[in-house]
């Protein structure tokens, strides 16, 4: 199947072709025709599957009809973080280049004045984080009654960040006769409830989870101690095949500390964490995208959904506390058909976290028993029982159970 089979306009097909994409991904194949038909959609998919284009593309064609009015955005996309909101905006620029749609980005850390003047002119697409949107709404600066299309992206992350009450309020301000698209990597009960409450006979779509089925990612666990981690990461980063790496830490203080250590080791490193000014985060991300630095030390929230093509390695300097974060972190590599390597450091204290990750992904991650630095360029094949195993595409009760157990 090609993009031209999905019912998109010629102008949009041209923009897609300009982007270099010729084959729609599974989520795009399943979502785009239904969105164009005006259906509500619940999509269980995570970043790396091409999900952004699966809503941005049909939205552009839908919004091409009709005109915007002052203070009344015609569509609203909710994103959990500024970075994700920005990436969606970049997607609109990329795919909407042959359309004349107006867009506003409503995110914290950016001057309110520019955002307000865009809104006052009237926008076709408003991309917002819930906090900033609620703020403006409370001040009467925005009307949501003309918003006929709503996208709730990364709903499970919104839940983790405590945004669900805000989203419920926002949903109740939108017209009842609207189209709603909800994207989430998992479907925990509060998200299910949100969907039941605010969606109209939604079509469910599920695409394979990266952690369980993305065989492009070779995963290793390196057993170590807290004391040895910094030496270990330095030696891994010096391997030739480490072209670009994102290193995840669980705490902002560790992000800073590790970035300093690596800088002192003269490695081309940058950092991104939630305490940084928005402009600094953007600058750091741009340096990474442009190749000025090839190593980025990151915290989960700041790195969520980073669209950095071709990251060769993900290193979990700290084992993530939440198993879903593991899935999201390693999804930064092995994207769009490329191969990638994910290396996770496990100290004895991480035993339970690691067990929860393996439970969620239903696979045993191979333990690296040789020289850890060599894990960066694995030459040996892990034992058969340790290799990533089954394919899972079905909506499974197990996954929900795992997710629930995590919250207990
Ligand atoms: P997403 O899941 O939206 O974060 O997208 C993951 C990556 O896949 C992004 O870098 C997209 O630009 C890229 N992408 C989206 N659609 C396609 C496609 N049809 N073919 C190849 N790459 C794609």
């Amino acid at each position: 199947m090609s993009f031209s089979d999905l019912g998109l306009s010629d102008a949009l097909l041209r923009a897609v072709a300009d982007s270099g994409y010729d084959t729609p991904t599974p989520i795009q194949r399943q979502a785009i025709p239904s969105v164009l038909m005006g259906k509500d959609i619940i999509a269980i998919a995570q970043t790396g599957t091409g999900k952004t284009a699966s809503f941005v593309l049909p939205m552009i064609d839908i919004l091409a009809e009709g005109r915007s009015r002052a203070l009344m955005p015609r569509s609203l996309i909710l994103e959990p973080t500024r970075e994700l909101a920005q990436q969606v905006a970049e997607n609109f620029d990329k795919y909407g280049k042959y359309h004349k749609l107006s867009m506003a980005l409503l995110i914290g850390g950016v001057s309110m004045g520019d955002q307000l003047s865009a809104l006052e002119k009237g926008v076709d697409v408003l991309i917002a984080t819930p906090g900033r949107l609620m703020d403006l709404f409370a001040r009467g600066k925005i009307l949501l009654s003309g918003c006929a299309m709503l996208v709730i992206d990364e709903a499970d992350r919104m839940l983790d960040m405590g945004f669900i009450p805000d989203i419920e309020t926002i949903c109740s301000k939108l017209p009842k006769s609207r189209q709603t698209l909800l994207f989430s990597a998992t479907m925990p009960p509060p998200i299910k409830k949100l969907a039941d409450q605010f969606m109209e006979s939604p079509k469910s779509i599920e695409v394979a989870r990266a952690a369980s089925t993305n065989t492009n990612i070779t995963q290793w666990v390196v057993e170590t101690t807290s004391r040895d981690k910094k030496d270990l990461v330095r030696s891994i980063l010096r391997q030739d095949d480490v072209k670009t790496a994102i290193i995840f830490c669980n705490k902002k203080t560790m992000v800073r500390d590790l970035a300093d250590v690596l800088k002192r080791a003269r490695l081309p490193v940058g950092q991104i964490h939630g305490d940084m000014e928005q402009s600094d985060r953007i600058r750091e991300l741009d340096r990474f995208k442009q190749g000025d630095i090839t190593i980025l030390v990151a915290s989960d929230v700041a790195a969520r959904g980073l669209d950095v093509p071709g990251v060769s390695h993900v290193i979990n300097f700290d084992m993530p506390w939440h198993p879903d974060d593991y899935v999201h972190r390693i999804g930064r590599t092995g994207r769009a058909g490329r191969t990638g390597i994910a290396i996770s450091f496990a100290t004895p204290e991480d035993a339970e976290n690691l067990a929860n990750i393996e439970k969620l992904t239903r696979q045993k991650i191979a333990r690296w028993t040789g020289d850890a630095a060599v894990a960066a360029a694995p030459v040996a094949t892990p034992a058969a029982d340790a290799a990533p195993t089954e394919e899972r595409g079905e909506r499974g009760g197990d996954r929900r159970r795992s997710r629930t157990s995590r919250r207990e």
Side-chain angles (χ1 to χ4, degrees), residues 210-275:
S212 53
T213 61
N214 191 342
T215 47
N216 293 335
I217 306 174
T218 307
Q219 301 172 55
W220 297 106
V221 162
V222 179
E223 287 168 342
T224 181
T225 59
S226 303
R227 223 189 46 203
D228 293 333
K229 280 189 193 180
K230 285 177 186 155
D231 285 342
L232 197 54
V233 81
R234 271 194 299 254
S235 63
I236 289 173
L237 291 172
R238 296 201 190 282
Q239 294 296 300
D240 282 350
D241 72 319
V242 182
K243 305 278 183 259
T244 44
I246 300 185
I247 307 173
F248 285 98
C249 302
N250 289 353
K251 292 183 179 164
K252 296 169 208 164
T253 46
M254 184 49 87
V255 171
R256 278 194 286 258
D257 185 26
L258 183 60
D260 284 349
V261 167
L262 298 178
K263 205 174 275 170
R264 282 202 298 275
R266 301 188 178 282
L267 286 158
V269 64
Q271 57 180 297
I272 176 164
H273 59 74
D275 272 357

Side-chain angles (χ1 to χ4, degrees), residues 3 21 23-25 28 46-53 94-95 307 335-336:
F3 276 102
Y21 304 143
T23 313
T25 65
Q28 292 163 0
Q46 54 193 244
T47 50
T49 54
K51 75 175 165 70
T52 314
K94 180 164 77 169
Y95 300 125
D307 185 13
R335 307 186 88 180

Side-chain angles (χ1 to χ4, degrees), residues 130-158:
R132 184 49 77 99
L133 181 67
M134 289 292 287
D135 188 13
L136 278 197
F137 190 80
R139 292 203 257 149
K141 300 285 187 195
I142 186 166
L143 294 170
L144 295 175
S145 51
C147 197
M149 223 176 161
L150 170 68
V151 178
I152 303 170
D153 196 17
E154 308 254 343
D156 54 344
R157 178 47 59 124
M158 301 270 204

Side-chain angles (χ1 to χ4, degrees), residues 361-404:
T361 60
R362 292 201 277 169
Q363 65 180 23
K364 177 126 174 86
I365 305 167
R367 272 38 171 193
W368 187 264
T369 49
D371 175 0
V374 183
V379 284
T381 311
D385 66 342
T389 46
E390 342 145 38
E391 291 264 327
R392 266 163 306 277
E394 303 301 317
R395 184 179 297 201
D398 277 353
R399 189 175 313 149
R400 251 167 304 195
R401 268 202 297 285
S402 315
R403 173 76 190 193
T404 312

Side-chain angles (χ1 to χ4, degrees), residues 154-164 188 190-191 403 407:
E154 308 254 343
D156 54 344
R157 178 47 59 124
M158 301 270 204
L159 173 68
D160 287 345
M161 295 172 76
F163 284 146
I164 297 299
I191 302 295
R403 173 76 190 193
R407 327 203 132 266

